[in-house]
Amino acid sequence: MMRGWIKLHITCDVASHVITSVKITNENESDGRQFSELVSDARENVGKIGKIYGDTAYDSRANFNEAARIGAEPVIRPRINSTGRSKGSYIRAQTVREFLSDPEMWKKRHCQRWQVEAVFSSLKRMVGECFTSATRAGIFNEIMMKVLTYNMVEVNRNG
């Protein structure tokens, strides 16, 4: 029997709301450390990625650099105590300076992260957030089936 929380990390297409990659971890795994694998899987599934939206959990030099490396624009909200010095990531420093100069304007212009929250909300309403499996493999399979079911509905809805 599993103890603790299960975390579902996803990427999605903000236009279609289709989930493009999935990672399931326990509660001890940070969101930011899943970034590279999620983005890699999404690229494998859908091809080129134009923008990558993320909240402050994804704010790290490594994640900004990874996004830039693959040619995507990182639209990751910096932590409020961030500085605009580059320290190994020019693209992050540029984003931080832009964000700190006018946080509200930055949010209005860039932030589509709410689209990911809408996907999570839709997923939970459509297939529920509880599972019946007791084993780790069963839980992971059940979650993946729920994600596949959600995607099939979204694909049919979006034509």
Side-chain angles (χ1 to χ4, degrees):
M1 182 96 173
M2 273 190 73
R3 300 269 187 242
W5 294 97
I6 298 293
K7 287 176 75 173
L8 176 63
H9 309 269
I10 66 166
T11 62
C12 69
D13 182 311
V14 295
S16 68
H17 289 185
V18 170
I19 296 172
T20 56
S21 68
V22 174
K23 180 114 190 267
I24 303 166
T25 66
N26 64 34
E27 75 272 14
N28 298 321
E29 297 290 329
S30 73
D31 293 343
R33 291 208 169 136
Q34 311 315 311
F35 183 87
S36 185
E37 189 174 339
L38 285 166
V39 169
S40 177
D41 290 348
R43 284 184 70 211
E44 196 173 293
N45 292 330
V46 298
K48 184 165 173 43
I49 299 172
K51 291 185 180 185
I52 300 174
Y53 299 98
D55 62 14
T56 57
Y58 296 95
D59 178 22
S60 74
R61 286 185 292 278
N63 291 344
F64 274 87
N65 289 343
E66 176 64 14
R69 185 188 70 72
I70 66 166
E73 178 187 348
V75 186
I76 300 169
R77 186 178 184 274
R79 289 182 295 277
I80 203 70
N81 62 347
S82 298
T83 67
R85 292 175 289 183
S86 93
K87 293 185 178 180
S89 180
Y90 174 77
I91 190 77
R92 181 180 180 276
Q94 184 179 10
T95 300
V96 169
R97 287 191 298 270
E98 186 180 315
F99 175 77
L100 292 176
S101 71
D102 190 349
E104 289 307 313
M105 181 57 77
W106 186 89
K107 288 178 201 174
K108 286 179 185 173
R109 233 184 11 207
H110 294 298
C111 209
Q112 291 290 313
R113 210 192 84 63
W114 64 271
Q115 299 276 9
V116 179
E117 296 302 330
V119 168
F120 267 118
S121 178
S122 296
L123 175 66
K124 288 176 183 179
R125 280 182 284 131
M126 185 184 300
V127 296
E129 58 184 300
C130 297
F131 41 84
T132 58
S133 301
T135 66
R136 184 175 187 83
I139 291 168
F140 285 18
N141 286 336
E142 191 172 335
I143 291 170
M144 291 305 294
M145 291 304 295
K146 288 181 177 198
V147 168
L148 289 171
T149 300
Y150 168 84
N151 273 352
M152 288 185 340
V153 170
E154 285 302 314
V155 166
N156 285 333
R157 183 179 315 180
N158 293 319

